[in-house]
Amino acid sequence: MNAPAKVAVLISGRGSNMQALAEHAGDDYEIVVVASDRPSAPGLAWAIQHGLPTFALSPKGIGKPVFEAALDGALREAGAEWIALAGYMRLLSDEFVAKWRGRIINIHPSLLPKYKGLDTHARAIDAGDAAGGCSVHVVTEELDGGEVLGQREVAILPGDTPETLAERVLAAEHQLYPAVLKEFVRR
């Protein structure tokens, strides 16, 4: 049997998708580092409590090239082969994406190619869509534009607000992301 794929997970906040990925890690993949652009991100505390190595550095005052060089160095030092973005709210430079081409995936709270970027739930509700949902995609230089690897649809209910829809979509993300990551690192 092959060794588990070595995955770095990038977060900016509470890290609920990182937690879902960690809880499903095993024979297919292991998390070798949880990295954040926000040293105070609550998800880092969870990672530390659960014995996961962490890296945190704020890009404020050092600039994107220096920040991304340090991030890249930390991921490589941890032995990462793949990157899973899990609520990482910073755009990666084209240069960073090129270094990891075909090895970075992201979870996005819409049914791509609909609603790239932010405010996805409000946009789906305002458009009168019957469903929102989530997508896991390969990260490319185009914002939310890479190959879609998997999706999960979530019905938009009468009276839904962006917040109520977001809660149900997040639950779907927690189911979808680990399953897609397992397939992705083994293909």
Side-chain angles (χ1 to χ4, degrees):
M1 181 159 169
N2 293 336
K6 297 179 182 325
V7 177
V9 181
L10 275 55
I11 65 170
S12 290
R14 65 186 172 196
S16 70
N17 271 303
M18 174 268 300
Q19 293 174 32
L21 293 175
E23 289 164 0
H24 289 89
D27 293 341
D28 295 303
Y29 68 86
E30 65 178 319
I31 296 175
V32 295
V33 65
V34 175
S36 181
D37 61 324
R38 291 187 47 229
S40 63
L44 289 172
W46 187 94
I48 291 166
Q49 286 176 340
H50 289 80
L52 296 172
T54 60
F55 170 82
L57 178 67
S58 172
K60 290 186 172 97
I62 62 172
K64 191 171 205 153
V66 172
F67 169 77
E68 285 189 344
L71 176 62
D72 183 67
L75 302 186
R76 293 182 190 282
E77 186 176 313
E81 304 163 318
W82 308 91
I83 300 172
L85 305 181
Y88 187 70
M89 300 306 291
R90 182 164 300 283
L91 293 177
L92 297 169
S93 70
D94 291 354
E95 294 77 19
F96 187 93
V97 171
K99 287 181 186 176
W100 291 87
R101 181 162 322 286
R103 296 183 290 145
I104 310 173
I105 61 174
N106 183 42
I107 183 93
H108 183 73
S110 80
L111 297 172
L112 292 172
K114 279 185 160 185
Y115 313 123
K116 296 176 180 184
L118 302 174
D119 302 319
T120 59
H121 307 303
R123 290 159 63 197
I125 291 168
D126 291 347
D129 292 354
C134 54
S135 305
V136 177
H137 66 93
V138 176
V139 173
T140 64
E141 290 82 354
E142 180 190 347
L143 177 67
D144 300 326
E147 174 192 359
V148 173
L149 303 170
Q151 293 185 312
R152 177 112 354 126
E153 212 172 86
V154 175
I156 296 176
L157 305 175
D160 253 343
T161 65
E163 295 75 23
T164 58
L165 179 57
E167 279 182 36
R168 293 197 316 282
V169 169
L170 188 60
E173 290 178 18
H174 295 164
Q175 295 170 1
L176 179 67
Y177 208 4
V180 171
L181 178 59
K182 284 179 185 183
E183 287 178 31
F184 181 67
V185 299
R186 290 291 171 215
R187 69 180 195 173

